[in-house]
């Protein structure tokens, strides 16, 4: 009962599979691996049902369809769909799917037929009439033995052994478990003669489970069991509540299974399932505890890492190799790159992969604070050293003892702060504001900037000796436009994360949207991409794919609305530019919900510069009152 599958668009003979479960997906462990980004790691599976097959979607990210005679049917997770020769499976992106063609497949039986004639039955839930004292003692000892057992495999082995002891005429006994879509497979067996146990027909199993009965049957003429010399068989369903978790199957070559046999199997069916469920739950709890412990250890090691550095482009891989090499040292690192390229993420990567990973990681945005407050944040202060200093306070270098200090926007600090920072790098000591003697510190310093510090040194805005102390090992983060396919990978990552955060389901990006993502220059880099995807999620209706238009006119390629000359203010050039500057700043603040840091990043200026402009306009407006 094999099934043949051809991947549309690929040369070669169709792939042939057998067995009751055939998995497919992007992950390497699948029976049919599909190396395509639109396919989920465990996308779906083909399940044997009776004589035929069904396709089941395993909750894939981009969905699945079955197409027959031009009619498409959506495959809902948990609701398998019958497949036959000539059907097409459309997987992943529905606009450009990965297509699997079912070249050949067995057909399910028309129904109603069985490979055995039922000759006796006993309800599992009915009180059994066990008059034989020997049988009662054997059952008592078996159930007592099982009550203290917590290993599922040993419970199964004990049950099979007890069945072979009880039924001397049994040729073989086997335990079957469901494999999905009403398929069943033998997972454990014992036999007295060579050869595997013969599995009962799907129809007989279906009738046994539906009626919750222990069934005795004789094979029909021409059945494989009859050809193997089997004259009788019995099937006992094992239930956990309303759900079947297994079947106990026996066959015989010498005599049939009679009413006392069915009674014994009825007791086993009613009680053995409870032991199996308890043991499996015990193991599940143990496995879950081990998984949680592993996750806990990973989180402790990550120290708050917000997300991994995603991407596989050559530009990013080259940078990651540099970061990995320098991470194991205590060398000072200067991370450069455009705004929004992930400089703090790189700093956290360095800390996580260093010998200081278990110590604090202390980030500070130097461009967001005025000089007096920045001095206090960096070096600490003593009580009474300035107005408002009501108690001693440790600076970031003391607080991060043994760990890593990340100084973002290092190019924004004043000359006076530069002098004090140079002392930290040279002498490994800090002197809090108002203190009379320095304090030794043990920290690693990672700095970051989007400025050209060499140009700042040449212009006299940044100390040359401090520059060379900071840039012992400079690392440049590539701009997003340099990272090729990473753009689509990151966009999909932000889509999935946004769906979880907003509790919505929006489809993947259309081909036009993907083309727009690749085409756009991304001046705001990863941060701009993240905001664009979030905007697109909000604008896209549930269940619909993300179109290029939802990404915004600048990204989709639609021409932006031009300002009409008549709408421009009149006057001298400096006055006109001042008005336009204020309009741009206020629009950026509106677009970012009043968040000054994000607005400053979008405008390409520091937060401190933005605050100065807002303060100036506020004083002007106050003076007009």
């Amino acid at each position: 009962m094999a099934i043949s599958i051809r991947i549309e668009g690929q040369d070669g003979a169709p792939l042939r599979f057998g067995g009751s479960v055939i998995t497919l997906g992007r992950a390497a462990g699948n029976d049919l691996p599909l190396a395509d980004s639109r396919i989920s790691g465990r996308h779906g599976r083909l399940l044997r049902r009776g004589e035929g097959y069904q396709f089941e979607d395993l909750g894939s990210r981009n969905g699945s369809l079955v197409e027959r005679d031009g009619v498409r049917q959506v495959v809902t997770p948990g609701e398998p769909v019958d497949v036959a020769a000539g059907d097409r499976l459309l997987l992943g992106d529905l606009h450009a799917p990965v297509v699997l063609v079912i070249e050949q497949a067995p057909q399910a039986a028309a129904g109603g037929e069985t490979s055995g004639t039922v000759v006796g039955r006993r309800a599992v839930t009915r009180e059994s009439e066990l008059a034989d004292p020997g049988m009662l003692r054997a059952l008592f000892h078996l159930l007592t033995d099982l009550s203290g057992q917590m290993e599922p495999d040993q419970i199964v082995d004990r049950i099979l052994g007890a069945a072979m002891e009880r039924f001397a005429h049994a040729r073989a006994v086997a335990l079957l478990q469901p494999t999905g879509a009403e398929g069943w497979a033998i997972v454990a067996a014992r036999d007295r003669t060579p050869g595997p146990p013969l599995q009962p027909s799907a129809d007989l199993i279906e009738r046994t489970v539906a009626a919750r009965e222990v069934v005795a049957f004789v094979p029909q003429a021409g059945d494989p069991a009859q050809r193997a010399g089997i004259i009788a068989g019995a099937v006992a369903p094992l239930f956990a509540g309303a759900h079947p978790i297994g079947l106990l199957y026996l066959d015989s070559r010498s005599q049939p299974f009679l009413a006392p046999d069915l009674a014994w199997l009825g007791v086993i069916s009613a009680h053995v399932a409870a032991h199996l469920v308890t043991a499996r739950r015990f193991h599940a709890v143990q496995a879950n505890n081990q998984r949680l412990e592993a996750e806990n250890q990973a989180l402790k090691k990550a120290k708050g890492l917000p997300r991994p550095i995603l991407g596989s482009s050559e530009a990013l891989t080259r940078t990651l190799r540099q970061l990995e090499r320098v991470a194991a040292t205590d060398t000072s690192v200067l991370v450069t790159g455009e705004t929004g390229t992930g400089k703090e993420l790189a700093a956290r990567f360095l800390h996580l992969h260093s010998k200081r990973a278990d110590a604090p990681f202390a980030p500070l945005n130097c461009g967001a604070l005025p000089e007096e407050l920045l001095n206090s944040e960096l070096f600490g202060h003593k009580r009474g050293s300035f107005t408002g200093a009501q108690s001693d306070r440790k600076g970031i270098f003391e607080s991060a003892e043994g760990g890593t200090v990340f100084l973002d926007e290092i190019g924004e600090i004043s000359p006076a702060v530069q002098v004090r920072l140079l002392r930290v790098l040279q002498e490994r000591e800090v002197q809090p504001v108002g203190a009379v003697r320095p304090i030794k510190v043990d920290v690693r310093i990672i700095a970051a900037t989007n400025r050209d510090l060499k140009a700042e040194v040449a212009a006299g805005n940044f100390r040359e000796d401090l520059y060379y102390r900071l840039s012992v090992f400079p690392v440049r983060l590539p701009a997003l436009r340099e990272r090729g396919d990473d753009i689509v990978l990151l966009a999909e990552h932000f889509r999935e994360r946004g769906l979880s955060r907003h509790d919505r389901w929006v489809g993947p990006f259309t081909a036009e949207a993907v083309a727009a993502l690749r085409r756009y220059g991304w001046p705001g880099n990863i941060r701009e991409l993240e905001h664009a995807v979030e905007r697109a999620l909000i604008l896209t209706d549930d269940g619909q794919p993300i179109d290029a238009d939802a990404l915004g006119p600048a990204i989709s390629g639609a021409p932006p609305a031009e300002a009409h000359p008549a709408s421009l203010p009149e006057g001298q050039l400096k006055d006109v530019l001042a008005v336009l500057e204020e309009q741009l700043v206020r629009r950026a603040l509106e677009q970012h919900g009043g968040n000054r840091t994000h607005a400053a990043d979008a405008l390409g200026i520091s937060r401190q510069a933005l605050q100065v402009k807002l303060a100036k306009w506020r004083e002007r407006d106050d003076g007009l009152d």
Side-chain angles (χ1 to χ4, degrees):
M1 293 199 300
I3 184 170
S4 298
I5 302 172
R6 176 173 56 85
I7 304 176
E8 195 168 81
Q10 293 187 11
D11 297 331
L15 303 172
R16 187 177 176 85
F17 300 92
S20 56
V21 181
I22 304 163
T23 61
L24 52 92
R26 195 176 67 248
N30 288 287
D31 299 317
L32 176 54
L34 300 169
D36 193 290
S37 61
R38 296 164 293 180
I39 302 298
S40 297
R42 294 181 67 256
H43 196 99
R45 59 186 180 181
L46 288 159
L47 302 163
R48 184 189 298 165
R49 182 179 182 182
E51 302 298 320
Y53 275 92
Q54 291 185 323
F55 176 75
E56 179 183 14
D57 186 282
L58 297 176
S60 65
R61 183 174 68 243
N62 295 325
S64 308
L65 298 174
V66 172
E67 182 180 86
R68 176 177 297 177
D69 298 329
V71 178
R72 295 181 176 182
Q73 178 180 354
V74 176
V75 183
T76 303
E79 299 180 12
V81 174
D82 292 330
V83 294
D87 290 353
R88 302 168 79 234
L89 305 181
L90 282 61
L91 313 177
D93 186 349
L94 302 185
H95 295 273
V98 174
V99 180
L100 304 182
V101 180
I102 308 298
E103 293 284 347
Q104 186 177 15
Q107 297 299 306
E113 296 182 359
T114 177
S115 61
T117 301
V118 175
V119 295
R121 51 169 54 96
R122 175 65 63 93
V124 171
T125 55
R126 192 177 76 187
E127 180 180 355
S128 299
E129 298 174 1
L130 300 175
D132 184 352
M135 186 185 298
L136 287 173
R137 283 194 298 269
L139 284 172
F140 175 78
H141 289 307
L142 172 61
L143 297 177
T144 302
D145 183 28
L146 293 179
S147 65
Q149 186 58 256
M150 284 299 175
E151 288 293 333
D153 291 343
Q154 293 185 16
I155 290 178
V156 170
D157 186 67
R158 185 70 184 90
I159 294 168
L160 298 182
M164 293 295 282
E165 292 174 9
R166 167 65 182 82
F167 302 106
H169 62 284
R171 181 197 71 95
V173 58
L175 179 70
L176 290 77
Q177 288 184 350
T179 58
E182 299 183 20
W184 293 79
I186 294 174
V187 295
R190 284 196 182 188
D191 54 67
R192 302 186 195 277
T193 58
L198 298 172
Q199 183 170 324
S201 71
D203 184 68
L204 182 62
I205 292 176
E206 183 177 353
R207 292 170 58 185
T208 301
V209 171
R212 299 189 67 158
E213 292 178 331
V214 180
V215 170
F217 67 95
V218 294
Q220 288 182 342
D223 184 80
Q226 189 187 59
R227 292 197 297 271
I230 304 301
I231 68 165
V235 184
L238 309 180
F239 276 83
H243 303 286
I245 65 168
L247 292 168
L248 197 60
Y249 164 72
L250 303 94
D251 61 32
S252 170
R253 286 175 173 167
S254 59
Q255 65 184 64
F257 293 91
L258 305 176
D261 302 331
L262 301 188
W264 189 92
L265 289 171
V267 174
I268 294 296
S269 297
H271 295 279
V272 164
H275 293 288
L276 272 177
V277 170
T278 301
R280 288 173 180 174
R281 284 177 179 170
F282 177 77
H283 272 255
V285 169
Q286 280 191 321
N288 190 53
N289 287 341
Q290 292 172 356
R291 179 183 60 81
L292 291 175
E293 180 63 24
E295 290 179 359
N296 186 41
Q297 293 300 322
L299 288 172
K300 285 181 179 179
K301 186 177 180 182
K303 287 290 184 181
L305 187 66
R307 57 178 181 268
I309 300 178
L310 299 178
S312 58
S313 63
E314 182 179 351
L316 180 65
T317 302
R318 184 167 55 249
T319 299
L320 288 178
R321 282 199 297 264
Q322 294 177 355
L323 292 174
E324 288 172 354
R325 283 180 175 271
V326 75
T329 72
D330 268 345
T331 302
S332 297
V333 179
L334 178 64
V335 183
T336 63
E338 299 177 6
T339 298
T341 50
K343 292 186 283 295
E344 181 173 345
L345 194 61
R348 290 182 180 271
F349 180 92
L350 285 169
H351 175 70
L352 175 63
H353 292 81
S354 75
K355 61 186 178 183
R356 299 175 179 266
D358 292 330
F361 175 83
L364 181 66
N365 188 330
C366 299
L369 301 172
E371 182 177 329
E372 181 177 323
L373 186 55
L374 180 60
N375 267 316
S376 177
E377 289 291 326
L378 287 172
F379 312 111
H381 62 253
K382 291 295 184 180
R383 177 181 178 184
S385 58
F386 56 85
T387 303
Q390 299 179 356
S391 61
D392 292 352
R393 185 181 189 280
K394 288 184 178 182
I396 195 171
F397 293 109
E398 283 189 82
S399 301
E401 176 69 18
T404 304
V405 171
F406 173 56
L407 303 177
D408 199 6
E409 296 191 29
I410 194 67
E412 304 287 340
I413 63 176
S414 67
V417 177
Q418 292 179 36
V419 173
R420 303 192 70 183
L421 182 58
L422 181 62
R423 181 182 178 89
V424 178
L425 288 164
Q426 289 177 334
E427 307 298 334
R428 294 296 166 178
E429 61 182 28
V430 297
Q431 186 163 350
V433 179
V436 295
R437 63 176 63 122
I439 301 171
K440 287 291 185 180
V441 293
D442 174 25
V443 294
R444 182 187 193 178
I445 296 178
I446 301 172
T449 182
N450 59 1
R451 292 189 176 191
D452 184 351
L453 286 191
K454 283 188 176 180
E456 294 294 316
V457 170
N461 298 326
F462 201 84
R463 293 181 63 96
E464 185 175 15
D465 49 1
L466 178 59
Y467 168 71
Y468 286 113
R469 286 284 185 179
L470 290 171
S471 62
V472 177
F473 194 97
V475 177
R476 176 186 173 273
L477 291 181
L480 186 56
R481 60 183 173 276
E482 302 172 23
R483 292 176 54 181
D485 290 340
D486 287 355
I487 297 173
V488 180
L489 175 67
L490 286 166
E492 182 61 28
H493 170 71
F494 293 140
R495 181 186 77 90
E496 292 186 353
R497 197 172 67 175
L499 294 178
S500 175
R501 185 169 64 250
H502 297 298
D503 194 23
R504 300 187 59 211
W505 190 89
V506 172
F509 297 92
T510 64
E512 293 78 10
V514 170
L517 290 170
R518 295 178 185 275
R519 184 173 59 244
Y520 184 58
W522 300 108
N525 292 291
I526 298 173
R527 188 177 294 117
E528 183 184 9
L529 173 63
E530 183 176 8
H531 294 163
V533 172
E534 184 164 7
R535 175 184 186 273
L537 287 174
I538 294 171
L539 293 178
T540 303
D541 294 332
D542 280 342
Q544 297 299 314
I546 298 176
D547 202 359
D549 292 340
L551 297 169
I555 301 171
S556 64
E562 298 183 359
H564 193 276
S567 64
L568 295 175
E570 297 181 357
Q572 295 184 356
L573 179 60
K574 65 176 184 178
D575 297 327
V576 173
L577 291 177
V579 172
L580 292 177
E581 179 187 44
E582 184 174 357
Q583 290 177 351
L584 288 172
V585 169
R586 297 197 183 281
R587 184 176 68 181
L589 285 168
E590 290 178 3
Q591 290 175 341
H592 294 86
N595 188 305
R596 296 185 181 185
T597 300
H598 292 170
D601 288 341
L603 292 167
I605 62 177
S606 69
R607 189 175 188 275
Q608 188 175 5
L610 176 60
Q611 288 176 321
V612 170
K613 295 179 186 295
L614 295 175
K616 180 179 66 177
W617 295 331
R618 186 164 54 248
E619 290 176 1
R620 178 202 64 193
D621 296 339
D622 291 343
L624 295 175
D625 291 341

